Amino acid sequence: MKKRASNDTQITLGDGWRQFAAMARPDLEYLGVIRRGMQIGALAKDEAGAYWQVNGDMRQALNLSRVEAKLRGAIVRRPRVEVVRQPSPDERAAVVVVVKPKRRVLMPH
């Protein structure tokens, strides 16, 4: 098997792990998503401090020092902000027009 380059591992912290692990488990703390080459899954940490890549019910042990090194430079994905209200088409079409009278200089005769 070909040895994996150390720089092709990416970690994204946040709620993205839900795509790979259907529900949270009491024995794991989910941290985010880990991508290792073509493999991608949820990044989890167990009670003993070991890191795991989780895909459904499958767990794969990860190298502790490599994961901790990647966590120092991990990308933090912010949750998307929901749009509360969009203007209606009528509100968008309503344009406020202000007509200012021109100044006129009246010359005395």
Side-chain angles (χ1 to χ4, degrees):
M1 184 157 80
K2 189 172 131 181
K3 187 175 180 179
R4 183 181 341 250
S6 63
N7 60 355
D8 70 348
T9 300
Q10 296 175 340
I11 294 178
T12 306
L13 300 176
D15 258 2
W17 63 266
R18 295 182 187 277
Q19 301 173 51
F20 306 100
M23 61 184 138
R25 296 182 176 209
D27 61 331
L28 293 176
E29 174 190 1
Y30 289 98
L31 305 173
V33 176
I34 185 165
R35 179 184 304 265
R36 301 181 314 137
M38 296 294 287
Q39 297 179 7
I40 186 169
L43 175 64
K45 185 176 182 180
D46 67 7
E47 296 162 348
Y51 290 99
W52 299 88
Q53 178 177 335
V54 180
N55 290 88
D57 289 335
M58 188 186 83
R59 294 183 189 181
Q60 185 175 3
L62 300 172
N63 184 299
L64 180 69
S65 61
R66 286 184 188 161
V67 171
E68 287 179 344
K70 289 294 181 179
L71 279 172
R72 287 190 280 275
I75 302 166
V76 179
R77 185 160 73 181
R78 307 264 184 240
R80 293 184 179 172
V81 177
E82 294 294 324
V83 176
V84 178
R85 180 182 162 298
Q86 290 281 338
S88 69
D90 293 334
E91 290 173 334
R92 282 195 298 264
V95 177
V96 177
V97 177
V98 178
V99 178
K100 294 184 179 181
K102 291 184 179 181
R103 291 185 183 178
R104 297 183 194 185
V105 178
L106 297 175
M107 301 297 283
H109 296 350

